[in-house]
Amino acid sequence: MRFNEIGQQLRAYRMESGLKAEEISARLGVSRAALYRYEKGEVIKLDTVNRLAELLKISPLTLLGIGVEYYAKPVGYMERVRQIEETSDQILQVFGPICYLISSEQYDNVLAQVYEEAAEATGTDRAIARAAAEQLLNVMISRKRMYASRKPSIIGILTVSSIQKFLAEGVAGAVPVSERLRHAAREVAQREMELIATLMESEPIGLQLGLMAGGEPNGPFTLLRSRERATLAINPFQPDSLPSVQSGVAMITGAEDAVAAHQRVSENAWRDAIKGATAAERVRALAAAARS
């Protein structure tokens, strides 16, 4: 039993459940400090694993890291990805308009404003919505801090259609907000694509970005590799999704067949991708078309 991994998954599923640490510890009959120790990798009994799984409405095997992990909300998935990124040496992202880890501070700022406005619109539930938004933003920003300190290599294969949608709608385009904020979200999207174009031209060490040349993939996925293992993360949630969105089910697995199949897809996509100055020119043309 890998107690550290059990603890990491326990934290991710606890965050997804919406239950507070004190609520779970009270139902288990342990202290909150004990629960936090479990999350940090302290030895945990099988009976406690079973009771925790029942509380969190998941299989005990899932909590033990056997099989596939499923997440129905962005926060649980993002927390689990954050944990895996902490030991990853390479992150390969397929699909999407941007790579969140290299996005700007302005992206996070406008996203926080979108979440705040959306929380205000929920009426009596605004306090719950604000708490959920803060939790998700903290996880995402923690991912950026990790990247800044560790600098794992990133390969990002972006798609034309997702860039066009991002430019047309702006950050968090699916969230209804005021016209003032939507305008700001579109401006940030323009700046993000200029940043992407600049990085495509300069090709800094450890960062490779390209545009998918052929058809769109069935859905976004990420391969995360460390010296010990490779992990596949399939994610239906956009980085700028509302914390409450349930647009699908995210999946994380280390199964060799699943990793190998997605690796082949990504290798073919990267081989055929438009790169360098040609890709940068294409991105800037897409941005110019969106402004006109």
Side-chain angles (χ1 to χ4, degrees):
M1 292 174 66
R2 297 177 175 176
F3 295 106
N4 183 57
E5 290 186 16
I6 293 172
Q8 290 179 335
Q9 290 174 93
L10 169 58
R11 175 177 169 82
Y13 280 114
R14 173 176 67 78
M15 292 173 71
E16 174 165 290
S17 74
L19 294 171
K20 296 180 180 179
E22 49 266 32
E23 293 178 86
I24 293 178
S25 58
R27 294 190 197 183
L28 279 179
V30 301
S31 67
R32 186 172 61 176
L35 180 64
Y36 285 145
R37 289 199 298 271
Y38 294 151
E39 291 185 357
K40 290 180 179 178
E42 188 173 278
V43 174
I44 183 171
K45 296 179 180 179
L46 272 175
D47 176 63
T48 305
V49 169
N50 287 330
R51 291 161 63 202
L52 279 165
E54 184 178 356
L55 278 173
L56 297 171
K57 296 181 173 57
I58 58 173
S59 162
L61 293 178
T62 298
L63 200 51
L64 289 169
I66 300 171
V68 181
E69 302 172 41
Y70 296 102
Y71 296 92
K73 293 181 182 178
V75 68
Y77 171 81
M78 292 292 182
E79 168 60 19
R80 190 70 180 104
V81 167
R82 182 196 67 77
Q83 296 164 0
I84 299 168
E85 286 173 344
E86 283 187 336
T87 58
S88 295
D89 301 310
Q90 183 191 77
I91 300 168
L92 191 160
Q93 175 189 314
V94 178
F95 194 81
I98 64 168
C99 293
Y100 172 71
L101 293 178
I102 59 170
S103 63
S104 70
E105 186 178 340
Q106 286 75 22
Y107 180 97
D108 293 318
N109 290 341
V110 78
L111 187 58
Q113 293 176 56
V114 168
Y115 285 172
E116 174 64 24
E117 205 170 279
E120 281 296 313
T122 60
T124 56
D125 294 329
R126 64 171 62 94
I128 296 173
R130 280 175 176 166
E134 182 179 4
Q135 184 182 50
L136 180 56
L137 282 168
N138 285 341
V139 171
M140 293 174 69
I141 292 170
S142 292
R143 290 177 58 203
K144 276 191 178 175
R145 288 174 181 157
M146 176 284 305
Y147 173 70
S149 63
R150 293 191 66 250
K151 285 292 174 68
S153 67
I154 289 179
I155 300 173
I157 307 174
L158 313 180
T159 62
V160 170
S161 65
S162 64
I163 290 173
Q164 289 173 323
K165 188 172 187 293
F166 183 58
L167 288 165
E169 300 177 356
V171 177
V175 183
V177 292
S178 64
E179 187 52 41
R180 176 199 63 80
L181 187 50
R182 180 53 53 208
H183 177 73
R186 291 191 184 100
E187 285 190 334
V188 169
Q190 284 280 342
R191 288 197 290 270
E192 292 303 315
M193 296 325 301
E194 177 56 36
L195 172 61
I196 290 288
T198 300
L199 291 170
M200 284 174 163
E201 284 177 328
S202 60
E203 298 181 329
I205 294 174
L207 179 59
Q208 301 177 76
L209 299 171
L211 276 180
M212 187 171 285
E216 301 286 319
N218 290 333
F221 67 87
T222 303
L223 288 168
L224 304 105
R225 292 187 176 277
S226 66
R227 293 178 183 176
E228 291 76 26
R229 68 182 62 191
T231 304
L232 167 68
I234 298 178
N235 175 27
F237 311 121
Q238 296 297 321
D240 51 12
S241 295
L242 280 175
S244 58
V245 72
Q246 290 184 283
S247 56
V249 178
M251 183 190 82
I252 294 176
T253 181
E256 291 183 10
D257 288 349
V259 170
H262 285 78
Q263 181 68 36
R264 288 193 293 273
V265 169
S266 60
E267 285 175 355
N268 290 336
W270 180 252
R271 182 194 63 219
D272 298 334
I274 305 167
K275 308 176 187 76
T278 304
E281 183 180 357
R282 178 74 170 119
V283 168
R284 290 195 174 105
L286 291 170
R291 288 194 299 269
S292 62

